[in-house]
Amino acid sequence: MNTRPPHLPAEERREATVESVIELAAQRNPSDITTSAIAQHMGLTQGALFRHFPTKDAIWEAVMQWVATRLMARVDRAIASHDSALDALEAVFLTHTAFVAEHPGVPRMLFGELQRAEDTAAKRAARTLLAAYGKRVRQLIVKGQQRGELSQDIEPDAAAAMFVGAIQGLVMQTLLSGEPQHIRSAAPGAFALYRRCIGSTK
């Protein structure tokens, strides 16, 4: 159980709840995380937890929004730091994998939500995140083609899907190995292979 200050402003308490869920998701199946487990992890009663979130679904939605806000902020900074589209793609790849290493519960939450049969607010937030992320990657690929950095023969949508798929493959290996930091060392080599596939032959 984490030792957290008993009295926090509402917004800080909400963020602490989200962070607790992500911590728990790194240790167990997200579908097995109950509000009781969250409250216990935070050193609170369930009543105190429900003062900030009316339902468990509301907590899950807040988690997805937290992930989207932080991951996309990092992605946008990575893109802005490079004029070269190919260098920006590499920066995004390494930024994303570093985020997973720091928050190994995040991919478990994302995968879990996307597999749910019902169309929840959290699932919609996850889909919105993936769509925004894919759009950024596709824009970089088109930019790279326009500047002659990337092959003109590749199809932008397929190349963007391949980019995301490469990261997902590393994430799955990380989940199977139980060693979140492994993704940091594996990411550069994986991107090097991707770079060969999309790079200009000029």
Side-chain angles (χ1 to χ4, degrees):
M1 181 179 71
N2 286 357
T3 302
R4 299 183 186 273
H7 302 294
L8 289 175
E11 191 55 39
E12 289 184 32
R13 177 64 72 199
R14 287 173 60 85
E15 184 159 331
T17 302
V18 167
E19 291 172 353
S20 291
V21 172
I22 292 172
E23 290 169 9
L24 287 168
Q27 305 162 11
R28 64 182 78 172
N29 188 328
S31 64
D32 295 334
I33 299 174
T34 62
T35 53
S36 176
I38 298 168
Q40 183 178 11
H41 187 74
M42 298 178 69
L44 300 174
T45 64
Q46 285 193 71
L49 189 63
F50 284 125
R51 281 200 292 272
H52 301 285
F53 294 96
T55 64
K56 181 180 175 180
D57 282 346
I59 297 175
W60 259 234
E61 181 183 4
V63 169
M64 290 299 107
Q65 291 173 344
W66 185 97
V67 171
T69 298
R70 281 155 183 77
L71 177 58
M72 292 309 298
R74 292 195 189 191
V75 165
D76 287 340
R77 285 196 298 270
I79 292 172
S81 64
H82 295 280
D83 186 56
S84 161
L86 200 49
D87 288 346
L89 281 168
E90 182 173 16
V92 170
F93 196 94
L94 299 180
T95 293
H96 189 161
T97 50
F99 186 82
V100 171
E102 292 169 26
H103 307 290
V106 165
R108 289 175 178 268
M109 295 291 299
L110 278 170
F111 290 151
E113 282 307 310
L114 292 172
Q115 290 177 51
R116 291 181 66 174
E118 59 271 39
D119 188 27
T120 64
K123 185 176 181 178
R124 290 193 294 272
R127 286 202 306 262
T128 299
L129 165 60
L130 293 177
Y133 186 96
K135 182 179 179 180
R136 298 287 202 289
V137 173
R138 189 187 187 283
Q139 288 172 338
L140 285 175
I141 291 166
V142 171
K143 176 183 175 181
Q145 288 180 312
Q146 292 171 343
R147 295 189 173 193
E149 294 181 72
L150 305 184
S151 170
Q152 299 299 313
D153 296 331
I154 62 173
E155 203 284 312
D157 287 333
M162 185 178 178
F163 182 97
V164 174
I167 293 177
Q168 289 175 338
L170 292 176
V171 168
M172 290 304 297
Q173 290 176 23
T174 296
L175 293 176
L176 289 171
S177 70
E179 298 178 7
Q181 298 308 313
H182 171 73
I183 198 169
R184 290 184 186 271
S185 58
F191 185 81
L193 289 175
Y194 178 75
R195 186 172 187 145
R196 284 188 184 183
C197 293
I198 66 171
S200 173
T201 56
K202 293 181 180 179

